[in-house]
Amino acid sequence: MQNSLLKHINLPEDLRQLKAEDLPQVAKELREFIINVVATKEGHLGASLGVIELTIALHYSFNTPEDLLIWDVGHQAYGHKILTGRKDRFETNRQLNGISGFPKRSESDYDTFGVGHSSTSISAALGMAIASQLKGENKHHIAVIGDASIASGMAFEGLNHAGVTDANLLVILNDNAIGIDPSVGALKQYLTNVKKGTQKQDNIFEALNFNYSGPIDGHDLSLLISELERLKTVKGPKFLHVITTKGKGLKQAEADQVKYHAPGKFDAKTGELIAKSSTIEPPKYQDVFGETIVELARNNEKIIGITPAMPTGSSLKYMMEVFPNRAFDVGIAEQHAVTLAAGMATRGLIPFCNIYSTFLQRAYDQIIHDVALQNLPVVFCLDRAGLVGEDGATHHGVFDLAYLNCVPNLVIFAPRDAIALRNIMYTVQLGIDFPIAIRYPRGRGHLLEWKLPYKTIKIGKGECLKKGKDVAILSIGTMAKHVEDAITDLDASHYDMQFVKPLDETLLHEIFNTHKTIVTIEDGTIVGGFGSTILAFANTHRYKHHIEVLGIEDKFIEHGSVLQLQQLQQLDSTSIKKKVEQLLSILNNS
């Protein structure tokens, strides 16, 4: 039996002490290490398994962290983390107070740029390369980007600029034909043809003034190291095309790359997923969307579905299977997705543009300029709104209520449960003359019986869920369930406002006139969100009530389970109950 090499590697300088012929064993051990941890602790699997050899070759050939290495998105950086001083802490990956699932500057000098969203690596690496030039530093700057990410507009903006510089920049295309879902579009077809040797047109990267090499086998360590050493001597912007297999080294992960992107718990020895409980559970909100849009589309041929690279995560894949000509995965292209929807809306179609809340941030100008300014009836479905859990600060959807709230013409709705989500989708496809954002969280709801006959929802109207006295709790979205659980035995009122915009002012006047203290609760930032809107309403109408605004504090929230993070933000039912009891006690003793 061979002695372990990995246990003696704590930093890349240890790796560089090894002979090149020892590196395949390191790759084998590194794969096993990741598989064993992720099998029980969960996380992103396939992406990291696919770049083990590339990770080793990069840290072996370059003098990191003096040479600056950036991983685009960061799903694939587990091997990088293990080789750069975090092996002993890797079991805490994505857990509360543990290491982040993505490269993070505050965590390690080897994480030269914080990532999580796609297509940022080329611009960041170019910025660093230009900075090194200006400072007279002799450093290498490497951006590793996948074939799904490089198709995004920002990546091409970076390539376009880099091509007219003499910066010491190496862009490595990790080409595995898949992001989270399979890559799409003309560039994907181009890269496929390059791999097959059938591409007849000029090389697109050479046309952008990059010194192109490849494609080469991304699992051949000796070839990778040889090519990286050669490229270190080449001046100016360089482009290395590397072919890899996502999930490499685990049979099931190679065979089902979508499922094993982040598979949950599985058997480390066999690779088989751990069977989940046979207990019937409420559906995930994404599946409520996915099933409902198919139902509605059967009866309304104007309905279109759009997603930027998340057909599985958003469950738009259901519509893509049933109505392939009316459902579009446009790749990692949020700006394009929004304006594509706007164009369709001008021609009388009803586009449901499904984008994760955190990714809609990338298309803010398009929301304002292309949709809201023209008052086009685009339906935005914001999945993963609120705290998303283990993906952490880069992925929490906690800013949408605030950044959408200030946009004229835009209606904002947050369903409290699966029934409300179905009903608002039904309502808007009947015909609207304004854009609307419908936000809902990651994970499951609480209702088993949710496929009820559709009912229309009155735009801008809230609902009283419980009548009490003195204290009124105003909730938005699925926080209603936490409130319901918190005040079961308390004499407090509960209102589901449903719409952040337009507010139900008639109901608000009734609430302020019949209660002494108001509590607002949202799973978004307290700066500029739902609570801020209620404060503004009270100020405008000169109400003097004490108003408690509960929500996400004004800081970036790190990773942990959704419940852990809600507890830290005092948004869980126990914390809410304690707060309401305090307010009732104050009123009773005043």
Side-chain angles (χ1 to χ4, degrees), residues 11 31 49 74 76 88 115 141 251 347 356 393 402 427 439 451 455 490 517 519 585:
L11 293 169
R31 265 199 183 87
L49 294 184
Q76 74 284 55
D88 293 341
V115 292
H141 312 84
K251 182 176 67 176
R347 306 306 300 152
Y356 287 11
T427 300
R439 74 184 298 268
K451 282 195 175 182
K455 293 181 180 178
L490 299 180
T517 296
V519 180
S585 176

Side-chain angles (χ1 to χ4, degrees), residues 372-394:
L373 181 60
Q374 304 185 84
N375 205 26
L376 293 172
V378 172
V379 182
F380 294 106
C381 293
L382 278 57
D383 199 336
R384 274 43 170 201
L387 295 164
V388 298
E390 291 81 0
D391 279 344
T394 57

Side-chain angles (χ1 to χ4, degrees), residues 287-547:
D287 290 336
V288 174
F289 163 82
E291 292 187 36
T292 301
I293 196 169
V294 171
E295 280 181 37
L296 296 173
R298 291 188 194 281
N299 297 313
N300 188 339
E301 63 183 17
K302 293 181 180 180
I303 291 176
I304 303 293
I306 301 169
T307 182
M310 291 293 172
T312 299
S314 70
S315 292
L316 189 68
K317 65 178 182 181
Y318 299 157
M319 186 177 181
M320 293 170 72
E321 290 164 1
V322 180
F323 300 107
N325 295 329
R326 292 165 56 195
F328 302 90
D329 174 6
V330 300
I332 303 175
E334 292 85 2
Q335 294 175 315
H336 167 60
V338 171
T339 306
L340 177 73
M344 291 177 171
T346 68
R347 306 306 300 152
L349 298 180
I350 305 171
F352 281 75
C353 188
N354 189 307
I355 304 181
Y356 287 11
S357 168
T358 186
F359 297 148
L360 190 62
Q361 295 163 187
R362 296 158 64 96
Y364 193 53
D365 182 60
Q366 286 69 29
I367 298 167
I368 296 172
H369 181 271
D370 298 339
V371 176
L373 181 60
Q374 304 185 84
N375 205 26
L376 293 172
V378 172
V379 182
F380 294 106
C381 293
L382 278 57
D383 199 336
R384 274 43 170 201
L387 295 164
V388 298
E390 291 81 0
D391 279 344
T394 57
H395 282 64
H396 293 314
V398 297
F399 303 113
D400 52 7
L401 291 179
Y403 72 68
L404 295 175
N405 201 9
C406 59
V407 180
N409 294 336
L410 183 66
V411 170
I412 306 170
F413 177 86
R416 69 175 177 267
D417 55 31
I419 294 171
L421 175 55
R422 276 171 61 79
N423 285 339
I424 194 66
M425 290 176 67
Y426 170 73
T427 300
V428 297
Q429 60 87 45
L430 293 175
I432 53 176
D433 57 2
F434 49 80
I436 184 170
I438 304 166
R439 74 184 298 268
Y440 48 90
R442 174 178 181 255
R444 299 181 185 277
H446 63 280
L447 299 177
L448 290 174
E449 297 294 324
W450 57 280
K451 282 195 175 182
L452 304 180
Y454 291 115
K455 293 181 180 178
T456 56
I457 289 177
K458 288 184 179 179
I459 302 300
K461 291 297 178 183
E463 292 185 3
C464 178
L465 302 182
K466 182 186 178 188
K467 199 76 177 75
K469 66 176 186 179
D470 293 339
V471 173
I473 304 166
L474 281 54
S475 66
I476 195 76
T478 57
M479 295 308 299
K481 179 65 171 121
H482 284 331
V483 175
E484 179 187 326
D485 293 341
I487 66 169
T488 303
D489 55 357
L490 299 180
D491 190 9
S493 297
H494 179 202
Y495 296 85
D496 172 19
M497 295 306 295
Q498 297 197 111
F499 293 87
V500 175
K501 194 173 184 180
L503 282 173
D504 187 343
E505 295 200 358
T506 302
L507 181 59
L508 282 173
H509 283 300
E510 179 187 317
I511 292 166
F512 275 85
N513 286 323
T514 54
H515 297 83
K516 297 175 181 177
T517 296
I518 309 297
V519 180
T520 71
I521 184 163
E522 62 199 295
D523 56 351
T525 176
I526 59 173
V527 180
F530 170 61
S532 293
T533 303
I534 301 301
L535 287 171
F537 169 86
N539 182 61
T540 298
H541 297 283
R542 300 183 180 178
Y543 288 112
K544 307 298 185 186
H545 297 58
H546 174 66
I547 301 175

Side-chain angles (χ1 to χ4, degrees), residues 244-265:
T244 62
T245 300
K246 188 171 182 177
K248 180 74 172 178
L250 186 67
K251 182 176 67 176
Q252 291 88 339
E254 291 185 39
D256 192 340
Q257 295 176 332
V258 173
K259 186 175 288 183
Y260 279 80
H261 171 74
K265 289 183 171 60

